[in-house]
Amino acid sequence: MAKEVQAAVVERRNDPFVVKNVLVDDQPGPKEVLVHIVASGICHSDEAVRVGDAGDLPLPIVLGHEGAGIVEKVGSAVSGVAVGDHVVLSYAYDGTCDNCLAGQPASCEQWVPLNMGSGKRPNGQPVFTDKDDTTQGLGSMFNQASFSTTTLVQESNVTVVGKDVDLRKVGPLGCGFVTGSGTVFNTLKPEPNSTMAIFGTGAVGSAALMAAKISGCAQIISVDIVPERLAMSKEIGATATVNSKEVDAVAAIKELTGGKGVDYAVDTTGLSAVMKQAVDAMGINGVFAPLAVSQKELDLVPFNDLVATQKSVVGVLMGNAVPQIEIKKLISFWQKGLYPFDKLEKTFKFADINEADRASTSGEVIKPVLIMDEDYTV
């Protein structure tokens, strides 16, 4: 059976989002969960798919992968989620490959086919179909498609949270915030009193910054070209800021660290020149994590740039996080006043998705959040 719902669909590359009625299969399979979406963050990865920077994902597609909502139905083999549960959605993983069994679902052997847009369920059927052409299946971002009023996901997509948690705020924990903070907590693991530079102070960079503060970094240097974002980074924990439009970022970071350079660097811009600056701004034994969804190249001379100073570059997907653990941890930090991610958010009506996307892309808003259910209250 199918249920008529609203979803924001991208028909062709570079097309705007079109909010339209589509059909979602509302009969969950054994390990599937039907979720009423209350709100969803907009992530840079959604825009990267829309314009083609994330590769050729199947179109038309329903994007959105920072959803939060309430469970409507569960499949017969679902054990950890119940009807009425309040949930945050993140990426899907199979749970059975060696990497998943080793506690690293972000390295799932089926990560790409599960998350990169096919929109197909384990039975081969699409989650969403076009209302006017039921033979036309729609793609689904992160097997989640949270730019919809109702979606059907796998149990692995779901993290149950307390019913006292405001679902209008926590959706972005499923991607942008968990990526930035998880990179720091799970991969970089900075020692207390160490130093870190974060290039780009959007949602992912800001999350890395807050995690660096929680981890006890003595110096946290944020680098950006937008003064308002740099001011916000100071508010949430940066010890110093660098406007790289006005000064040489590498020289400024070296000066701030007594000539040594930082122990860790994170880039969220995906720009070739900025990523090279991040490498150059590190000291001996520095570790660099480039996180942006970008097709730009990083040009290095391995001996000069890495070997001679024993620097390293590490790839980190989704913060190397187990969502069902990490999201709850971030909520706990937030409730204790240690992780004020909600300061970065601004809400928009679902119908205004293109305005919200523009605000995100321009840098005007760090984390836009779409409200699908305007009647929801905590």
Side-chain angles (χ1 to χ4, degrees):
M1 294 183 63
K3 174 181 179 179
E4 188 170 329
V5 301
Q6 282 197 316
V9 179
V10 175
E11 300 281 356
R12 292 171 294 275
R13 181 179 292 187
N14 286 315
D15 273 7
F17 293 96
V18 177
V19 178
K20 58 190 285 188
N21 288 351
V22 302
L23 300 176
V24 63
D25 191 325
D26 67 346
Q27 299 301 309
K31 297 290 286 183
E32 294 177 335
V33 180
L34 190 72
V35 180
H36 165 72
I37 298 293
V38 170
S40 176
I42 290 182
C43 180
H44 173 72
S45 300
D46 295 310
E47 177 67 3
V49 173
R50 189 184 73 80
V51 301
D53 287 347
D56 294 322
L57 272 70
L59 301 176
I61 190 169
V62 181
L63 298 175
H65 57 285
E66 293 183 342
I70 302 170
V71 175
E72 292 186 356
K73 297 180 181 179
V74 299
S76 59
V78 172
S79 59
V81 184
V83 172
D85 279 346
H86 289 202
V87 299
V88 174
L89 304 180
S90 190
Y91 66 87
Y93 53 92
D94 66 20
T96 60
C97 71
D98 288 350
N99 293 333
C100 285
L101 293 175
Q104 294 184 314
S107 299
C108 176
E109 294 172 10
Q110 296 301 312
W111 202 95
V112 170
L114 283 173
N115 291 284
M116 297 310 288
S118 74
K120 295 292 181 64
R121 304 161 63 188
N123 64 9
Q125 297 300 309
V127 172
F128 291 96
T129 53
D130 190 300
K131 179 175 176 289
D132 299 320
D133 179 6
T134 56
T135 66
Q136 174 68 67
L138 305 176
S140 172
M141 182 68 168
F142 270 37
N143 194 53
Q144 185 188 133
S146 61
F147 291 168
S148 59
T149 52
T150 301
T151 191
L152 183 68
V153 301
Q154 299 300 306
E155 184 177 13
S156 65
N157 285 102
V158 176
T159 296
V160 178
V161 300
K163 293 183 180 179
D164 60 333
V165 173
D166 191 340
L167 293 175
R168 293 166 296 192
K169 296 182 180 293
V170 294
L173 296 176
C175 181
F177 293 141
V178 80
T179 294
S181 57
T183 295
V184 174
F185 290 140
N186 304 319
T187 298
L188 298 182
K189 300 179 180 178
E191 303 83 359
N193 292 319
S194 58
T195 57
M196 184 178 299
I198 297 166
F199 291 75
T201 57
V204 176
S206 296
L209 190 161
M210 291 184 286
K213 182 180 179 181
I214 292 170
S215 298
C217 289
Q219 284 184 288
I220 308 167
I221 304 165
S222 59
V223 183
D224 209 306
I225 61 173
V226 181
E228 293 80 7
R229 287 195 170 198
L230 290 170
M232 175 57 73
S233 73
K234 286 280 283 188
E235 187 174 333
I236 62 175
T239 60
T241 62
V242 174
N243 188 323
S244 56
K245 194 173 184 179
E246 298 176 352
V247 301
D248 182 315
V250 175
I253 290 168
K254 290 290 181 71
E255 182 178 353
L256 286 165
T257 56
K260 291 183 177 182
V262 289
D263 300 312
Y264 304 95
V266 173
D267 174 72
T268 66
T269 72
L271 300 173
S272 297
V274 179
M275 290 189 285
K276 183 60 166 60
Q277 286 178 336
V279 173
D280 292 344
M282 293 192 301
I284 295 171
N285 292 321
V287 183
F288 170 49
L291 300 181
V293 179
S294 169
Q295 299 299 310
K296 304 295 185 183
E297 295 182 352
L298 171 56
D299 188 13
L300 297 174
V301 177
F303 184 81
N304 294 343
D305 295 321
L306 301 177
V307 176
T309 49
Q310 298 201 111
K311 297 178 183 179
S312 58
V313 179
V314 60
V316 190
L317 181 63
M318 295 301 300
N320 196 26
V322 181
Q324 288 76 13
I325 296 173
E326 202 84 10
I327 290 170
K328 293 178 182 179
K329 180 169 74 175
L330 296 181
I331 290 174
S332 177
F333 284 141
W334 172 49
Q335 291 171 330
K336 294 172 183 174
L338 301 173
Y339 192 81
F341 68 89
D342 53 331
K343 290 185 176 183
L344 312 173
E345 296 180 341
K346 180 179 178 180
T347 59
F348 293 79
K349 292 182 178 181
F350 188 24
D352 296 331
I353 184 171
N354 288 298
E355 178 188 344
D357 184 55
R358 180 203 59 77
S360 174
T361 303
S362 69
E364 176 185 329
V365 177
I366 293 178
K367 177 54 67 174
V369 178
L370 300 169
I371 306 299
M372 282 70 173
D373 184 350
E374 295 186 26
D375 296 324
Y376 164 84
T377 57
V378 180

